[in-house]
Tab-separated table of all heavy atoms in Angstrom:
chain	number	residue	atom	x	y	z
A	11	THR	N	136.402	95.822	127.308
A	11	THR	CA	136.372	95.212	125.985
A	11	THR	C	137.625	95.639	125.243
A	11	THR	O	137.957	96.821	125.204
A	11	THR	CB	135.117	95.652	125.196
A	11	THR	OG1	133.961	95.305	125.953
A	11	THR	CG2	135.059	94.980	123.836
A	12	VAL	N	138.325	94.674	124.655
A	12	VAL	CA	139.550	94.950	123.912
A	12	VAL	C	139.323	94.589	122.446
A	12	VAL	O	138.873	93.489	122.130
A	12	VAL	CB	140.743	94.142	124.473
A	12	VAL	CG1	141.999	94.409	123.658
A	12	VAL	CG2	140.959	94.470	125.942
A	13	VAL	N	139.623	95.538	121.552
A	13	VAL	CA	139.487	95.332	120.111
A	13	VAL	C	140.862	95.517	119.481
A	13	VAL	O	141.543	96.507	119.749
A	13	VAL	CB	138.484	96.334	119.489
A	13	VAL	CG1	138.376	96.124	117.987
A	13	VAL	CG2	137.124	96.219	120.152
A	14	GLN	N	141.275	94.560	118.658
A	14	GLN	CA	142.552	94.631	117.945
A	14	GLN	C	142.282	95.031	116.490
A	14	GLN	O	141.517	94.346	115.813
A	14	GLN	CB	143.253	93.270	117.962
A	14	GLN	CG	143.516	92.717	119.333
A	14	GLN	CD	144.672	93.387	120.030
A	14	GLN	OE1	145.598	93.859	119.402
A	14	GLN	NE2	144.610	93.431	121.340
A	15	LEU	N	142.873	96.114	116.033
A	15	LEU	CA	142.799	96.517	114.625
A	15	LEU	C	144.169	96.255	114.024
A	15	LEU	O	145.165	96.823	114.468
A	15	LEU	CB	142.457	98.002	114.495
A	15	LEU	CG	141.120	98.454	115.038
A	15	LEU	CD1	140.977	99.958	114.891
A	15	LEU	CD2	139.987	97.745	114.331
A	16	GLN	N	144.220	95.386	113.025
A	16	GLN	CA	145.514	95.000	112.467
A	16	GLN	C	145.380	94.772	110.970
A	16	GLN	O	144.411	94.176	110.509
A	16	GLN	CB	146.001	93.734	113.151
A	16	GLN	CG	147.403	93.347	112.778
A	16	GLN	CD	147.918	92.222	113.663
A	16	GLN	OE1	147.180	91.646	114.460
A	16	GLN	NE2	149.176	91.909	113.517
A	17	ALA	N	146.350	95.268	110.221
A	17	ALA	CA	146.418	95.024	108.783
A	17	ALA	C	147.582	94.075	108.520
A	17	ALA	O	148.696	94.306	108.984
A	17	ALA	CB	146.613	96.327	108.015
A	18	ALA	N	147.317	93.013	107.788
A	18	ALA	CA	148.362	92.038	107.459
A	18	ALA	C	149.441	92.684	106.595
A	18	ALA	O	149.173	93.615	105.832
A	18	ALA	CB	147.752	90.847	106.729
A	19	GLN	N	150.669	92.181	106.718
A	19	GLN	CA	151.806	92.715	105.948
A	19	GLN	C	151.578	92.625	104.454
A	19	GLN	O	152.022	93.485	103.707
A	19	GLN	CB	153.087	91.959	106.309
A	19	GLN	CG	153.653	92.316	107.641
A	19	GLN	CD	154.339	93.682	107.659
A	19	GLN	OE1	154.362	94.434	106.693
A	19	GLN	NE2	154.893	94.024	108.795
A	20	ASP	N	150.915	91.572	103.991
A	20	ASP	CA	150.789	91.337	102.554
A	20	ASP	C	149.429	91.781	101.996
A	20	ASP	O	149.061	91.398	100.892
A	20	ASP	CB	151.012	89.865	102.242
A	20	ASP	CG	150.037	88.952	102.964
A	20	ASP	OD1	149.336	89.420	103.882
A	20	ASP	OD2	149.970	87.775	102.604
A	21	ALA	N	148.687	92.588	102.756
A	21	ALA	CA	147.378	93.067	102.299
A	21	ALA	C	147.394	94.590	102.273
A	21	ALA	O	148.196	95.212	102.957
A	21	ALA	CB	146.286	92.564	103.230
A	22	PRO	N	146.511	95.183	101.481
A	22	PRO	CA	146.442	96.643	101.508
A	22	PRO	C	145.920	97.118	102.860
A	22	PRO	O	145.201	96.386	103.544
A	22	PRO	CB	145.450	96.969	100.392
A	22	PRO	CG	144.659	95.734	100.188
A	22	PRO	CD	145.562	94.586	100.566
A	23	GLY	N	146.286	98.306	103.241
A	23	GLY	CA	145.785	98.868	104.490
A	23	GLY	C	144.339	99.314	104.327
A	23	GLY	O	143.716	99.106	103.290
A	24	PHE	N	143.819	99.936	105.372
A	24	PHE	CA	142.443	100.428	105.336
A	24	PHE	C	142.319	101.656	106.226
A	24	PHE	O	143.084	101.846	107.154
A	24	PHE	CB	141.452	99.338	105.759
A	24	PHE	CG	141.698	98.770	107.138
A	24	PHE	CD1	141.062	99.292	108.247
A	24	PHE	CD2	142.574	97.706	107.315
A	24	PHE	CE1	141.290	98.774	109.505
A	24	PHE	CE2	142.802	97.174	108.569
A	24	PHE	CZ	142.152	97.709	109.672
A	25	THR	N	141.346	102.488	105.925
A	25	THR	CA	141.085	103.679	106.723
A	25	THR	C	140.039	103.343	107.771
A	25	THR	O	139.033	102.704	107.479
A	25	THR	CB	140.573	104.830	105.836
A	25	THR	OG1	141.586	105.133	104.872
A	25	THR	CG2	140.289	106.070	106.662
A	26	THR	N	140.286	103.781	109.004
A	26	THR	CA	139.328	103.595	110.079
A	26	THR	C	138.848	104.963	110.542
A	26	THR	O	139.654	105.848	110.805
A	26	THR	CB	139.964	102.844	111.266
A	26	THR	OG1	140.439	101.591	110.801
A	26	THR	CG2	138.963	102.622	112.382
A	27	PHE	N	137.535	105.123	110.611
A	27	PHE	CA	136.928	106.349	111.122
A	27	PHE	C	136.446	106.077	112.535
A	27	PHE	O	135.703	105.128	112.773
A	27	PHE	CB	135.764	106.790	110.233
A	27	PHE	CG	136.205	107.169	108.858
A	27	PHE	CD1	136.158	106.248	107.829
A	27	PHE	CD2	136.696	108.434	108.600
A	27	PHE	CE1	136.580	106.587	106.548
A	27	PHE	CE2	137.126	108.779	107.322
A	27	PHE	CZ	137.070	107.859	106.303
A	28	PHE	N	136.872	106.897	113.485
A	28	PHE	CA	136.519	106.735	114.883
A	28	PHE	C	135.369	107.687	115.195
A	28	PHE	O	135.560	108.900	115.304
A	28	PHE	CB	137.736	107.006	115.767
A	28	PHE	CG	138.808	105.959	115.599
A	28	PHE	CD1	139.713	106.020	114.554
A	28	PHE	CD2	138.889	104.900	116.488
A	28	PHE	CE1	140.687	105.040	114.396
A	28	PHE	CE2	139.866	103.927	116.338
A	28	PHE	CZ	140.762	103.995	115.291
A	29	GLU	N	134.182	107.127	115.287
A	29	GLU	CA	132.961	107.915	115.444
A	29	GLU	C	132.466	107.876	116.890
A	29	GLU	O	132.742	106.931	117.601
A	29	GLU	CB	131.882	107.358	114.506
A	29	GLU	CG	132.262	107.333	113.042
A	29	GLU	CD	132.417	108.712	112.419
A	29	GLU	OE1	132.133	109.718	113.103
A	29	GLU	OE2	132.817	108.784	111.263
A	30	PRO	N	131.739	108.882	117.353
A	30	PRO	CA	131.104	109.945	116.600
A	30	PRO	C	131.976	111.181	116.383
A	30	PRO	O	131.569	112.103	115.687
A	30	PRO	CB	129.887	110.298	117.462
A	30	PRO	CG	130.342	110.047	118.851
A	30	PRO	CD	131.276	108.864	118.752
A	31	GLU	N	133.191	111.219	116.924
A	31	GLU	CA	134.019	112.411	116.783
A	31	GLU	C	134.580	112.603	115.379
A	31	GLU	O	134.913	113.697	114.983
A	31	GLU	CB	135.174	112.391	117.794
A	31	GLU	CG	134.733	112.655	119.216
A	31	GLU	CD	134.195	111.443	119.931
A	31	GLU	OE1	134.023	110.379	119.298
A	31	GLU	OE2	133.922	111.544	121.138
A	32	GLY	N	134.733	111.520	114.633
A	32	GLY	CA	135.206	111.630	113.258
A	32	GLY	C	136.710	111.566	113.091
A	32	GLY	O	137.236	111.917	112.042
A	33	GLY	N	137.434	111.103	114.125
A	33	GLY	CA	138.865	110.910	113.967
A	33	GLY	C	139.122	109.883	112.874
A	33	GLY	O	138.328	108.984	112.650
A	34	GLU	N	140.238	110.021	112.182
A	34	GLU	CA	140.538	109.135	111.050
A	34	GLU	C	141.979	108.661	111.150
A	34	GLU	O	142.880	109.427	111.467
A	34	GLU	CB	140.325	109.913	109.760
A	34	GLU	CG	140.601	109.141	108.502
A	34	GLU	CD	140.357	109.993	107.258
A	34	GLU	OE1	139.510	110.896	107.288
A	34	GLU	OE2	141.045	109.748	106.258
A	35	ARG	N	142.181	107.374	110.868
A	35	ARG	CA	143.542	106.825	110.853
A	35	ARG	C	143.638	105.756	109.787
A	35	ARG	O	142.787	104.869	109.691
A	35	ARG	CB	143.889	106.227	112.209
A	35	ARG	CG	145.250	105.533	112.203
A	35	ARG	CD	145.979	105.739	113.422
A	35	ARG	NE	147.267	105.048	113.388
A	35	ARG	CZ	148.163	105.196	114.295
A	35	ARG	NH1	147.949	105.994	115.298
A	35	ARG	NH2	149.292	104.545	114.221
A	36	PHE	N	144.700	105.840	108.991
A	36	PHE	CA	144.979	104.801	108.007
A	36	PHE	C	145.756	103.702	108.715
A	36	PHE	O	146.775	103.953	109.351
A	36	PHE	CB	145.780	105.352	106.824
A	36	PHE	CG	146.038	104.316	105.770
A	36	PHE	CD1	145.019	103.890	104.939
A	36	PHE	CD2	147.292	103.749	105.640
A	36	PHE	CE1	145.245	102.916	103.973
A	36	PHE	CE2	147.533	102.780	104.679
A	36	PHE	CZ	146.508	102.367	103.847
A	37	ILE	N	145.260	102.487	108.632
A	37	ILE	CA	145.941	101.326	109.211
A	37	ILE	C	146.747	100.699	108.080
A	37	ILE	O	146.204	100.024	107.214
A	37	ILE	CB	144.937	100.316	109.798
A	37	ILE	CG1	143.916	100.983	110.722
A	37	ILE	CG2	145.659	99.182	110.508
A	37	ILE	CD1	144.487	101.599	111.974
A	38	ALA	N	148.031	100.979	108.066
A	38	ALA	CA	148.923	100.512	107.006
A	38	ALA	C	149.278	99.041	107.229
A	38	ALA	O	149.152	98.521	108.336
A	38	ALA	CB	150.189	101.365	106.980
A	39	PRO	N	149.727	98.357	106.167
A	39	PRO	CA	150.157	96.964	106.334
A	39	PRO	C	151.171	96.837	107.481
A	39	PRO	O	152.127	97.597	107.551
A	39	PRO	CB	150.792	96.627	104.989
A	39	PRO	CG	150.053	97.500	104.025
A	39	PRO	CD	149.837	98.798	104.775
A	40	GLY	N	150.898	95.922	108.392
A	40	GLY	CA	151.770	95.710	109.547
A	40	GLY	C	151.396	96.532	110.768
A	40	GLY	O	151.904	96.277	111.852
A	41	ASP	N	150.527	97.540	110.605
A	41	ASP	CA	150.089	98.328	111.763
A	41	ASP	C	149.183	97.492	112.649
A	41	ASP	O	148.475	96.598	112.193
A	41	ASP	CB	149.327	99.586	111.332
A	41	ASP	CG	150.247	100.687	110.844
A	41	ASP	OD1	151.482	100.513	110.908
A	41	ASP	OD2	149.722	101.720	110.392
A	42	HIS	N	149.193	97.830	113.942
A	42	HIS	CA	148.408	97.074	114.915
A	42	HIS	C	148.033	98.025	116.050
A	42	HIS	O	148.907	98.488	116.776
A	42	HIS	CB	149.265	95.922	115.426
A	42	HIS	CG	148.581	95.056	116.421
A	42	HIS	ND1	149.170	93.934	116.928
A	42	HIS	CD2	147.383	95.114	117.011
A	42	HIS	CE1	148.358	93.351	117.788
A	42	HIS	NE2	147.270	94.072	117.857
A	43	LEU	N	146.739	98.332	116.169
A	43	LEU	CA	146.239	99.165	117.259
A	43	LEU	C	145.442	98.303	118.217
A	43	LEU	O	144.686	97.424	117.799
A	43	LEU	CB	145.320	100.277	116.744
A	43	LEU	CG	145.903	101.330	115.826
A	43	LEU	CD1	144.822	102.357	115.485
A	43	LEU	CD2	147.084	102.022	116.458
A	44	THR	N	145.586	98.566	119.501
A	44	THR	CA	144.772	97.928	120.522
A	44	THR	C	143.879	98.999	121.125
A	44	THR	O	144.368	100.014	121.610
A	44	THR	CB	145.642	97.304	121.629
A	44	THR	OG1	146.476	96.310	121.041
A	44	THR	CG2	144.784	96.657	122.702
A	45	VAL	N	142.569	98.776	121.063
A	45	VAL	CA	141.595	99.726	121.608
A	45	VAL	C	140.947	99.062	122.814
A	45	VAL	O	140.377	97.972	122.693
A	45	VAL	CB	140.528	100.097	120.559
A	45	VAL	CG1	139.559	101.125	121.130
A	45	VAL	CG2	141.172	100.601	119.275
A	46	THR	N	141.049	99.703	123.978
A	46	THR	CA	140.483	99.159	125.205
A	46	THR	C	139.389	100.089	125.714
A	46	THR	O	139.631	101.281	125.894
A	46	THR	CB	141.569	99.000	126.288
A	46	THR	OG1	142.621	98.181	125.773
A	46	THR	CG2	141.008	98.370	127.542
């Protein structure tokens, strides 16, 4: 399963919490993570 986390350039970013471990990452405008 592939999940794309992406924040548009012209929108505010968002914080993503990776559970259950509790890792945290701010997805800034223009950021793009691929989770497989």
Side-chain angles (χ1 to χ4, degrees):
T11 303
V12 178
V13 179
Q14 302 284 331
L15 297 177
Q16 187 170 7
Q19 285 286 3
D20 59 348
F24 58 93
T25 299
T26 302
F27 295 95
F28 293 82
E29 302 293 355
E31 287 83 353
E34 180 180 330
R35 175 142 179 172
F36 182 73
I37 310 295
D41 283 356
H42 181 176
L43 296 182
T44 299
V45 182
T46 304

